[in-house]
Amino acid sequence: MTNTTRALSRVLFLAVFLATGALLTTAAAAATAPAGQRPTPLALVGPDTLTTNDLEIELALMRVRNVDNASAQPIEPRDVLKRMTQNQLIVQEGYRMGLEQEFSVRNQTAESVRNECMKALLDSVVLSIPAEAKDVHEKRRLAVKNYLDRLARTWGASVDSTLLRSLDFGSADPAEQTRLRESKAVLARLSPTRTLTVADFSRELRFVEFHGLVGKPDAAERRDKVLREYFSEYLLNLQLKAQRMDQTPRMKLLRRRLERNAVLEEGLRVLLTVEFAPTEAQIKAYYKENAAEVTPPARIKVASLKVATEEIAAELRIKLLKGTTAKWLAANDARVVKGASPFPADWIDPEAIGLKRGELSVGEVPNPYGVPGGWVVAQITEIEKTQPQPLDTCRDRILSLMNREQTRGHLMEILDRLEVESPITILPGAEAEVTRILAETAAAEDKTKTETGTAAPAAR
C-alpha cells in the first residue's frame, strides 16, 4: 500500500469514528448529477462538448483553490468558460501524447477511485444509523466496528493478540529492535493465502511512525492503532474487489473524470517544461521595465479629528475639502474632542484606515470612520516617495516574474496552436447559464455560512 493510501485511510477512519460520515471528494460529488437532470451544453472544443457537469467540476475545483483566499475576486462567467475550454485543449493534447498511460496518471486515478469506493462502502454502514438516533456517534462507531469484525470472519482474518502484546517497539534494547525488524513470526492472518509477519509489520510501522517509538510512553497504543488501521484497510480492499465496486456506473464515471484531471495536470507539466536561462542584460532590462513590481507600497500621513456624531464628522469633512486645515479645526471648533489625534501622525499603511493603494492623493478626505465613542474624520497630508529595491536585493523576485511571464507566453502559444486543431465555440446562452449557476452556488454558500454561523458580519 502506498503512503498516500495509508494517509487517506487514516483520515477516512478518523472521519468515520467521529461520526461525520464518509464524504465524497469534490470530483466525485460533481461527477454525479441528480437522476433525470440532463446537462446543458455550454461550449464545443473540437469534437468535445463541455456541459454544466463540467462547469460544476470546474467551480468546485476553483473553490478548493480559493478556500484560504477570503478576498477572492468575483468570478466572471466569461472567465470560467475560457478556463474550461482552455483546459479541455490541454486535455485533448495530453491524450494525443498518451499521457493516460503514464504511471503517475494511472496510479493517481486508481488510488482515488479505490478510496472513493472505500468511502462509499463505509458510508453505507455509517448511514444505517439515522442522524437523529440517540448517541449517534457511538452507535455509528460500533456499527463500523461490527462490520469490520464480520469482514474478518468472512475472509478468515485474525490477529495473534498474545504475540502483538509482546512486541515492545518502545524498547531501547538494540537486540529487541533487531528481533522486531527480522522476526518471521506470523502476527496476523489477512486471508487464507496471506499473512503478516512481525518484520512486515515493523516496516509498515516505520512508514507511519517514521520517528520511531523508542522511548515513547504510548508506544503500545500507537502500535495497536497502526495494526488496527492496516488490518481494517486490507479487509475493506478485499470486500471492494469482491463486490466489484469500481465497476459501478458511478465509479466508472468518476474514473473518467479523475483520469481527465490527472491528464490535465500531467499535460501542463510536460508542455510547460521549457528552459529558463535569461541573460544578465535581459534581467536588467526586465527590472527596469517592471520597477513597480519591486517598489515598496507607499505609506501615508494623515491629520485626524474625533467628534461625537456622524453628522458633525460629515460637516468637518466638507470644511476640510474646502481648504480648512485639521489643525485650525482642532483649535477653533469646540465640537472636536480634545487630546491626541485618533490616528497616528507618523507613516501608516493606507489599508490600516480602509484606503486602497494606488487611489490616493494629498488632501483626500475619506468618508468618516465610526470608532468606539464617536466618529473620526481624516485627511491625507503626505504620501511617501518610494524607490524600487536594488536589483541585488530583489533578483529572485525578478527572476520569478520573468519565469512566470515566459511560462504564460509559452502557454498562450500552445493554446493558439491547439485551437487551430480544435476550434472553440461558445454556445448561445452559455454565459447566461453560467451566470445562473454562479448565482445559485453563491446563494447556497451564503445560506450555509449563515446556518453555521461562519458568515462575515455586514459592513457598516
Side-chain angles (χ1 to χ4, degrees):
M1 296 179 187
T2 66
N3 290 344
T4 300
T5 300
R6 277 185 285 266
L8 287 172
S9 177
R10 279 184 285 279
V11 171
L12 169 62
F13 277 93
L14 177 61
V16 171
F17 288 136
L18 290 177
T20 58
L23 303 178
L24 296 176
T25 62
T26 294
T32 52
Q37 180 176 317
R38 178 173 296 180
T40 302
L42 299 174
L44 305 178
V45 183
D48 297 331
T49 301
L50 300 181
T51 72
T52 45
N53 280 354
D54 302 290
L55 171 62
E56 294 289 353
I57 293 174
E58 184 63 38
L59 293 178
L61 292 174
M62 291 171 68
R63 286 194 293 273
V64 170
R65 297 186 195 105
N66 294 330
V67 68
D68 295 322
N69 186 5
S71 61
Q73 295 297 314
I75 303 173
E76 294 295 332
R78 186 172 302 177
D79 293 338
V80 175
L81 287 167
K82 183 176 182 180
R83 180 181 301 191
M84 288 173 60
T85 55
Q86 289 180 340
N87 283 349
Q88 189 60 24
L89 290 174
I90 300 297
V91 169
Q92 290 174 350
E93 183 68 2
Y95 276 106
R96 278 193 287 267
M97 291 188 290
L99 296 183
E100 75 279 9
Q101 298 301 323
E102 293 289 326
F103 174 78
S104 60
V105 172
R106 290 188 291 107
N107 187 60
Q108 179 181 334
T109 302
E111 284 284 296
S112 298
V113 170
R114 193 186 69 82
N115 279 285
E116 283 305 319
C117 288
M118 187 178 292
K119 289 178 182 181
L121 185 60
L122 286 174
D123 203 25
S124 66
V125 177
V126 170
L127 297 182
S128 66
I129 307 298
E132 60 273 12
K134 185 179 179 180
D135 299 326
V136 61
H137 291 9
E138 178 63 13
K139 287 180 178 178
R140 285 181 169 179
R141 186 189 70 80
L142 289 175
V144 172
K145 179 182 181 300
N146 292 336
Y147 177 70
L148 293 172
D149 288 343
R150 290 198 302 273
L151 289 184
R153 291 192 294 272
T154 298
W155 294 104
S158 60
V159 175
D160 187 333
S161 55
T162 301
L163 177 57
L164 176 63
R165 286 192 295 270
S166 74
L167 304 181
D168 188 3
F169 286 95
S171 172
D173 182 357
E176 175 63 11
Q177 291 298 325
T178 298
R179 181 179 79 87
L180 294 172
R181 289 194 303 270
E182 298 178 356
S183 173
K184 300 301 181 182
V186 175
L187 175 61
R189 185 164 296 282
L190 301 173
S191 70
T193 59
R194 179 168 176 180
T195 59
L196 180 75
T197 67
V198 172
D200 294 332
F201 178 59
S202 296
R203 284 194 297 273
E204 172 67 21
L205 191 65
R206 285 197 295 273
F207 278 117
V208 181
E209 300 285 354
F210 47 86
H211 291 302
L213 295 179
V214 174
K216 300 289 177 63
D218 59 346
E221 289 81 359
R222 294 193 189 189
R223 171 202 67 198
D224 293 352
K225 180 175 181 289
V226 172
L227 180 61
R228 183 168 61 249
E229 291 175 348
Y230 182 91
F231 191 74
S232 300
E233 184 179 347
Y234 190 85
L235 290 173
L236 288 168
N237 277 320
L238 289 176
Q239 190 64 22
L240 294 178
K241 292 178 182 177
Q243 294 183 208
R244 296 174 59 82
M245 288 189 66
D246 62 335
Q247 297 303 308
T248 63
R250 175 177 169 275
M251 288 303 169
K252 286 183 177 180
L253 175 58
L254 175 60
R255 182 184 296 278
R256 291 197 296 273
R257 295 291 190 190
L258 292 170
E259 181 185 88
R260 183 259 186 201
N261 290 341
V263 168
L264 172 62
E265 293 177 9
E266 186 67 8
L268 285 169
R269 187 191 68 80
V270 171
L271 293 171
L272 297 182
T273 300
V274 293
E275 182 182 13
F276 176 68
T279 65
E280 187 64 22
Q282 289 172 325
I283 295 173
K284 290 180 178 178
Y286 189 90
Y287 167 75
K288 184 177 180 180
E289 294 169 4
N290 296 271
E293 295 286 349
V294 291
T295 300
R299 297 174 296 175
I300 60 174
K301 287 185 178 180
V302 298
S304 59
L305 307 166
K306 184 177 180 180
V307 295
T309 69
E310 185 178 8
E311 291 74 16
I312 298 173
E315 291 180 21
L316 296 191
R317 178 176 184 270
I318 293 174
K319 290 180 180 292
L320 289 172
L321 289 171
K322 289 183 176 181
T324 306
T325 65
K327 182 177 181 181
W328 189 92
L329 288 172
N332 295 281
D333 195 314
R335 297 173 297 178
V336 175
V337 177
K338 304 304 179 184
S341 298
F343 290 161
D346 203 356
W347 294 112
I348 61 174
D349 291 326
E351 289 87 346
I353 57 173
L355 298 177
K356 294 181 180 180
R357 299 184 188 275
E359 301 177 2
L360 307 175
S361 60
V362 173
E364 181 179 349
V365 185
N367 289 325
Y369 302 88
V371 298
W375 287 79
V376 171
V377 61
Q379 184 174 39
I380 298 176
T381 59
E382 190 175 352
I383 298 177
E384 186 179 24
K385 292 180 173 63
T386 57
Q387 297 294 325
Q389 299 176 51
L391 178 57
D392 288 346
T393 64
C394 64
R395 178 177 291 269
D396 288 346
R397 169 67 174 162
I398 290 296
L399 289 173
S400 175
L401 291 171
M402 292 180 73
N403 191 12
R404 186 173 65 182
E405 188 170 305
Q406 174 182 300
T407 300
R408 185 186 299 114
H410 183 60
L411 177 59
M412 290 302 103
E413 291 176 4
I414 291 172
L415 291 171
D416 288 342
R417 173 178 61 81
L418 295 179
E419 192 171 346
V420 173
E421 301 174 9
S422 296
I424 294 173
T425 301
I426 303 299
L427 298 175
E431 283 197 34
E433 185 67 11
V434 174
T435 300
R436 181 186 66 79
I437 292 177
L438 286 175
E440 290 179 354
T441 302
E445 289 177 349
D446 289 344
K447 181 180 179 182
T448 299
K449 290 177 181 178
T450 300
E451 291 174 347
T452 58
T454 58
R460 187 178 186 90

